[in-house]
Amino acid sequence: MTVARDMGRFLVSTDYIDADHPLVRATATALVPGAASDIERVGRIYRYVRDLPYDILAAFRYLARGEHRASDVLRHGVAFCMGKASAFVALCRAAGVPARIAFQTVGSPDKEFLSPEVRALWGGKSGRPLPWHSLGEAYLGNRWVKLDATIDATTAARLGKPYRRDFDGITDITTVEGPILRENGSYADYPADVAQWYVQVARVVLNALESTDFHARVADDDELWAGPRWEAVARRSPGSRCSLSEFSTDSSYPATSSPSSNQGTAASMSP
């Protein structure tokens, strides 16, 4: 099915991307008055979402309570990649521009943008990537443009990784967190496996911060930090732009496990 014939699903509200929520609609309306084109509208939305403060621990706290929608992100005003992507896509849709969620595996050996508490767990073993990094895509000029709004510009500059490219509506903008190891597909909404894994990680991290013994188990749990297998996510989302033949893979990167089938040692325990 071509994008043109299937564009409607990239404009509707969904569970995670609640584009019809009053706060989302009001924010989009406030951002785009006088904009003469979709490129101008998306540029304003991109810069707004990008420069919301990045704080993964603060975002984990509200995500763990079940506050997972784009409107929750706007209400709290801080986010990590999941919330930045859903807020960007929801605002684009509210402004009438087709948009979707994309995922990548990103190499980030130092994980300098993570909160120290989260870094101590996720970075417990050297070389762990960010397996399901989220970003948004907007449909501009008859093509999908990847626009990563994860790290706010102030933080990126402060940590020595400033954005090298500004929004032009044509060129993809990639994350400043590290190199892209694999493209994991594009979706109209969050795949259930990936969304559940993010919530799982948020809850496990918060539990680990309350228990020294549990903290050590979580830091050592490679299965938890690997996330769901991308092959399984693709097969369970047949309408997505993610057929297995389209994945760009790095043969040196190991396959990951699915939380639905194997949640990891620490993830399946309470502290």
Side-chain angles (χ1 to χ4, degrees), residues 28-41:
T29 298
L31 287 171
V32 302
S37 66
D38 282 353
I39 287 179
E40 189 175 354
R41 280 183 278 276

Side-chain angles (χ1 to χ4, degrees), residues 241-262:
R241 184 82 166 101
C242 63
S243 68
L244 297 183
S245 63
E246 291 170 340
F247 282 106
S248 172
T249 60
D250 179 345
S251 60
S252 67
Y253 180 69
T256 57
S257 58
S258 170
S260 62
S261 60
N262 191 339

